[in-house]
Amino acid sequence: MTHTPTPRRPRARAATRAALLCAALAGLTVQATAAAPAFGEGPDGRGGRDCVRTERPRDPKARQVLDVTRKAKDDLDLNSVEVRVTVDGREVVTDALGESMTGVPAEPGMHFRAGSVAFAHIATGLLQLVEEGKVRLDDTVERWLPDLPKADKITLRMLATNTTGLHDYVTDPKFLAELEARPFRAWTPNDLLAYPLSHPFWYEPGTNWSYSHANYLLLSLALEKITGAGIDTFMKERVWKPLGLRDTQNNFTPEIPRPALHAFTSERGLYEESTFWNPSWTTAPGAVITTDICDLARSAQAVGSGELLSPDSYRTLLDPGTVGLGHATDTCPATICLTQTEAAHFGLGVLVVNGWVVQNPSFSGYAAIQAYLPSKGLAIAVSTTKTATAPDGNTAEVIAERISDKLAPGNPLILG
């Protein structure tokens, strides 16, 4: 999974090939002239209108986006594509192509799993706590996570930046075998943490970089202790409500709010519906979120611009000290300890790639990306589902990359 210049982490197997975060770092995402915007009553995209497709988009940028999206859907043999593009918070175009299920057209207002987008929201909330003086990023976590090995050396910053040295349970063969055999299993944090804690740390905390889902699981548990509230309440009060993300929510069960965009996958060898596979393995209870394409675009814009943060905190979001980390050692191979460069690195809950601020969840038949280019105020949100012959990997990334080529040719979004 190597692509210059973006660092990437190895894909363990088709079943979780980009599992949640984005995994991506693993790989290290004009106002329309339609009669009315599809979502939001003001220039910032907030308001009470439904998430619907743009009526008769006439703006040249809108036509470019739709042409690219239609062709990509055919090229990749996708079941559905949902897309929304905004500039400075104003709609360029919103649309949905293909089907949710046979005979059921995909609609922009359908809800889908958003996976690691929650990490960007958690990181934003953490930086708000730092601004308020309630914690410091370099506080060690032993007071909140006393049973975690090396808790007196691991800081909140290390959890949020993937510099703890903990193994990633999503690449553990034993975990993968269990997940494939029992996709409806409900996982607890202790179930999940048992996998990375059965291995020695890759390196001493804070001295290198390697992606692990365990980090945001642990960070969520720590934040619950710090604030005395569930991580779902934490995100809702600090991010979702202030941004007007009324269709973004946590689900403690595999339920998806109606209308749901259905997903299908061949991860287990047979093409099958995976909409209601249990997503509890992806992160901490309370942070297992669903959203729609309009909220995803709003999230891209707000997180990517640091709307809820001070200028200092926004700079930390984009580079919390990860640039320059990541190197192979005697105990950590180059496929795990990936080099973090100015051009492509993990920030605080986001990926920063050639100036774009990105999150890109992909698991259990769902793929999505939120990408924001601050220099142009350009937000791209894409969600995809697959047919039996669609390629592996995050196909939403491919579409976002092609859109970026048209709208921001000088700033390529390259994740694949």
Side-chain angles (χ1 to χ4, degrees):
M1 231 187 106
T2 302
H3 185 94
T4 306
T6 309
R8 311 215 28 138
R9 68 177 169 77
R11 300 187 184 263
R13 62 189 297 171
T16 51
R17 256 164 235 205
L20 192 55
L21 182 66
C22 57
L25 211 331
L28 104 265
T29 285
V30 192
Q31 172 71 40
T33 56
F39 180 73
E41 298 174 339
D44 60 0
R46 300 180 191 181
R49 309 191 76 165
D50 291 335
C51 185
V52 298
R53 56 175 46 85
T54 308
E55 295 182 14
R56 298 182 299 281
R58 301 184 181 91
D59 185 275
K61 292 187 190 307
R63 291 200 297 272
Q64 283 184 308
V65 171
L66 291 176
D67 288 346
V68 166
T69 303
R70 291 187 185 110
K71 185 175 188 307
K73 179 184 177 298
D74 291 341
D75 290 347
L76 300 171
D77 196 19
L78 298 174
N79 202 45
S80 72
V81 179
E82 299 193 337
V83 61
R84 180 171 168 89
V85 174
T86 66
V87 174
D88 295 329
R90 294 185 179 275
E91 179 195 44
V92 173
V93 67
T94 305
D95 210 336
L97 311 176
E99 295 183 319
S100 171
M101 297 185 293
T102 302
V104 180
E107 298 291 344
M110 287 180 168
H111 301 97
F112 51 86
R113 301 206 187 278
S116 56
V117 169
F119 298 173
H121 299 170
I122 291 168
T124 295
L126 171 61
L127 287 169
Q128 291 174 357
L129 289 179
V130 173
E131 290 178 13
E132 295 162 9
K134 294 178 180 176
V135 295
R136 297 176 304 165
L137 279 181
D138 295 320
D139 285 341
T140 54
V141 299
E142 69 270 21
R143 76 190 82 172
W144 307 300
L145 304 171
D147 297 326
L148 177 65
K150 300 183 186 287
D152 60 338
K153 296 180 180 180
I154 293 173
T155 65
L156 294 171
R157 185 193 301 269
M158 293 174 196
L159 290 174
T161 58
N162 285 291
T163 56
T164 62
L166 284 163
H167 280 235
D168 187 3
Y169 59 82
V170 164
T171 60
D172 189 302
K174 292 182 180 178
F175 169 79
L176 290 172
E178 174 65 11
L179 183 64
E180 181 174 304
R182 300 176 61 195
F184 296 100
R185 173 178 170 173
W187 294 81
T188 68
N190 285 340
D191 292 337
L192 298 170
L193 291 172
Y195 292 95
L197 295 180
S198 69
H199 300 283
F201 282 61
W202 287 118
Y203 47 83
E204 280 300 302
T207 64
N208 212 329
W209 188 94
S210 58
Y211 184 74
S212 174
H213 287 73
N215 289 320
Y216 267 80
L217 193 164
L218 288 162
L219 179 59
S220 297
L221 299 179
L223 287 171
E224 290 185 332
K225 295 285 185 66
I226 292 166
T227 63
I231 197 66
D232 55 325
T233 300
F234 178 81
M235 289 190 289
K236 181 178 181 179
E237 294 302 317
R238 291 185 171 271
V239 179
W240 303 341
K241 286 177 65 175
L243 297 181
L245 303 183
R246 61 191 181 93
D247 285 299
T248 301
Q249 68 177 66
N250 163 71
N251 302 281
F252 285 105
T253 72
E255 181 182 9
I256 297 178
R258 295 181 181 179
L261 180 68
H262 285 243
F264 304 83
T265 183
S266 302
E267 291 174 357
R268 301 198 307 163
L270 175 70
Y271 185 65
E272 58 188 329
E273 178 161 5
S274 53
T275 308
F276 299 108
W277 284 5
N278 197 315
S280 56
W281 61 272
T282 57
T283 191
V288 182
I289 67 172
T290 55
T291 193
D292 68 15
I293 202 66
C294 293
D295 273 13
L296 191 66
R298 176 73 178 117
S299 171
Q301 174 206 354
V303 171
S305 66
E307 181 175 324
L308 297 176
L309 300 173
S310 70
D312 283 347
S313 292
Y314 179 53
R315 284 190 288 272
T316 299
L317 181 88
L318 300 184
D319 181 14
T322 49
V323 173
L325 291 177
H327 55 276
T329 68
D330 290 341
T331 59
C332 188
T335 54
I336 299 295
C337 288
L338 303 172
T339 302
Q340 306 294 294
T341 68
E342 185 69 36
H345 62 271
F346 195 91
L348 210 73
V350 295
L351 305 173
V352 181
V353 181
N354 197 30
W356 292 84
V357 185
V358 179
Q359 260 297 353
N360 52 344
S362 177
F363 65 100
S364 300
Y366 287 102
I369 185 171
Q370 64 170 49
Y372 183 77
L373 185 60
S375 62
K376 294 186 178 293
L378 173 62
I380 300 174
V382 181
S383 171
T384 61
T385 59
K386 298 180 179 182
T387 65
T389 55
D392 290 336
N394 188 324
T395 51
E397 287 180 4
V398 178
I399 297 174
E401 288 172 357
R402 294 186 186 183
I403 293 171
S404 76
D405 285 344
K406 295 294 185 182
L407 302 188
N411 293 91
L413 174 62
I414 303 174
L415 292 163

